[in-house]
Amino acid sequence: MSSTQRYKYSKDDYYRITNADGVAVAQALGLQVDEGKQTTAKAVHIKNSGGLYIFPTNNWYRHSDGSKGFPVELVMDILECDRENAMEFIAKNVLNGIQQLTLNSQYRCPMREEKPVEFKVPQHDIKPNRVYAYLIKSRGIDKDIVGSLIQNKMIAEDSQRHNCLFFGRDENGEIKSCAMRGTSTYVQFRGEVAGGDKSCSFAMNGKGTTLRLFESPIDAMSHATFSKLLGKDWTADHRLSTNGCGYQSVLNYLSRHPEIESVVISYDNDVAGRKGARETAAKLSRDFPDRGLRVTTALPREKDWNEELLEFRGAESNGITARQFVEAKYSRQEHKEAAPENVSEDDDEESAAEM
């Protein structure tokens, strides 16, 4: 830091600028706070940012490339400008209460050009010990299912940050996308590697004619665990993670698997999941009018399928079997279609969707 830059401001003003609220700075930069996602440490997640989190200590960290710093460094990173201009940006656009980008033309920082992001799979050449422990112990997923996915190179461990990597492969087996989930108990990170092909997401290919759609790989694995616990062949159904409620991967998967006759939408049981389920069902009807697909919605009773599984794991310690848990939880007729075993093929579609 040059003496000129330091003495451009009074001691108090310099302190205010360098200690400006990190979230306010992010918003002034046009970044969008993810109101629905906070870590256990109450860190704030920034949408579409490569896993950018701002912590209560006012520092930030971006998981996609390991960049970190404080508010001034965030401005330097986003606007690609020097420290002096970054401080002036905070002084004019945050401390003065202006929550939008209004840089004076005489010191305007160069903005990033929109360039295609090259997809690069994180290095994963270590034994996935942390991933194995995380999925089984923290997420309650069956060890045989985890072992099978590791053996088939569908999941792996990031060699540098130890995130769990969920690969989306094309018809030739080439990795085209990669979802990530942190294995740390302190920061609940999840995201995607930038530049991936959204039409190729994590999938557990099945042998039958039913495709089940989930919002995340862990939810797909959780549902498969229930199937195994109930004595079913967990490899029979196809399971696809749409990474949210995305549709491109659904369209691609159905195009590649003409044997599929039934689609069960098993998104999260929240406002976004219900809305996504309705939209996906409408799109399937529109895009495959002559295929005769049977489309139903099977939402979990809890927020998502992993929460459902973890609730069962708690009951299991008290001697409750998976069959007893499912029968108790899905005893009402309108919940049968949503049960992990999909007990009835004749349930009313609307009742299941409104569950």
Side-chain angles (χ1 to χ4, degrees):
M1 177 181 62
S2 68
S3 59
T4 301
Q5 182 186 43
R6 170 63 179 84
Y7 293 112
K8 180 176 180 179
Y9 304 98
S10 68
K11 183 177 180 179
D12 288 343
D13 285 345
Y14 180 84
Y15 179 85
R16 291 175 63 214
I17 292 170
T18 54
N19 290 276
D21 181 81
V23 175
V25 171
Q27 292 175 323
L29 287 164
L31 302 178
Q32 186 176 2
V33 172
D34 188 348
E35 300 288 352
K37 183 189 295 183
Q38 288 189 328
T39 69
T40 54
K42 303 300 181 183
V44 174
H45 175 251
I46 303 299
K47 289 184 177 180
N48 305 317
S49 60
L52 174 63
Y53 285 84
I54 299 175
F55 295 89
T57 50
N58 222 26
N59 61 321
W60 58 274
Y61 180 82
R62 186 168 55 226
H63 288 268
S64 61
D65 60 6
S67 297
K68 58 186 177 180
F70 290 92
V72 171
E73 286 78 25
L74 181 61
V75 176
M76 294 171 64
D77 178 87
I78 299 298
L79 299 183
E80 295 185 342
C81 62
D82 60 25
R83 188 175 181 84
E84 182 178 356
N85 282 336
M87 291 181 66
E88 192 164 354
F89 171 81
I90 293 175
K92 291 192 174 184
N93 296 281
V94 179
L95 300 185
N96 289 338
I98 304 172
Q99 296 297 308
Q100 58 184 353
L101 189 62
T102 56
L103 288 175
N104 188 297
S105 60
Q106 67 181 2
Y107 71 95
R108 187 178 300 275
C109 306
M111 301 295 289
R112 280 195 182 126
E113 296 180 4
E114 291 292 331
K115 298 179 181 178
V117 178
E118 179 184 1
F119 175 66
K120 187 176 181 180
V121 181
Q123 188 174 351
H124 51 280
D125 56 357
I126 61 174
K127 289 185 178 181
N129 295 331
R130 294 193 191 183
V131 163
Y132 194 78
Y134 170 74
L135 293 175
I136 295 171
K137 295 179 180 180
S138 298
R139 292 296 170 180
I141 297 174
D142 182 85
K143 65 179 182 179
D144 293 334
I145 293 176
V146 175
S148 175
L149 293 171
I150 289 175
Q151 184 177 9
N152 290 312
K153 299 182 178 180
M154 296 305 300
I155 58 179
E157 184 170 325
D158 181 342
S159 302
Q160 183 179 359
R161 299 185 178 90
H162 301 286
N163 292 324
C164 185
L165 306 178
F166 303 92
F167 301 133
R169 297 179 181 270
D170 63 13
E171 60 272 21
N172 299 317
E174 184 178 351
I175 299 175
K176 292 293 186 180
S177 70
C178 179
M180 300 180 289
R181 192 68 178 255
T183 56
S184 169
T185 57
Y186 301 104
V187 179
Q188 297 178 0
F189 161 71
R190 64 178 175 180
E192 299 177 54
V193 176
D197 184 350
K198 293 186 179 297
S199 69
C200 293
S201 57
F202 175 85
M204 301 167 66
N205 294 334
K207 301 176 292 188
T209 60
T210 296
L211 169 64
R212 295 180 179 273
L213 307 179
F214 301 88
E215 290 195 33
S216 75
I218 287 180
D219 284 334
M221 297 166 69
S222 298
H223 190 281
T225 296
F226 266 121
S227 292
K228 187 172 184 291
L229 289 168
L230 292 165
K232 298 181 66 179
D233 179 4
W234 67 270
T235 67
D237 291 344
H238 301 254
R239 292 180 173 87
L240 177 68
S241 166
T242 62
N243 293 337
C245 300
Y247 184 68
Q248 295 178 42
S249 60
V250 181
L251 188 62
N252 183 38
Y253 198 88
L254 283 171
S255 299
R256 287 165 46 190
H257 292 272
E259 73 276 14
I260 291 175
E261 300 173 355
S262 175
V263 178
V264 182
I265 306 171
S266 295
Y267 293 159
D268 291 358
N269 188 7
D270 56 16
V271 174
R274 290 176 181 277
K275 181 175 182 289
R278 291 193 296 270
E279 292 176 349
T280 295
K283 290 175 181 177
L284 288 172
S285 177
R286 178 197 67 195
D287 294 334
F288 299 94
D290 303 321
R291 188 153 164 177
L293 289 174
R294 180 174 185 264
V295 180
T296 55
T297 300
L299 305 184
R301 291 294 299 275
E302 302 303 320
K303 178 185 178 294
D304 59 44
W305 286 103
N306 189 245
E307 284 192 12
E308 196 97 316
L309 179 60
L310 291 177
E311 182 181 332
F312 164 69
R313 291 302 190 193
E316 185 181 33
S317 64
N318 295 321
I320 304 298
T321 67
R323 175 68 59 180
Q324 291 170 332
F325 177 83
V326 169
E327 288 180 349
K329 196 145 194 172
Y330 296 89
S331 59
R332 294 173 58 189
Q333 177 69 19
E334 60 265 37
H335 293 311
K336 286 185 177 179
E337 175 65 24
E341 59 183 336
N342 192 18
V343 290
S344 174
E345 291 297 328
D346 299 318
D347 287 329
D348 180 72
E349 236 174 73
E350 291 188 1
S351 295
E354 292 173 355
M355 206 184 47

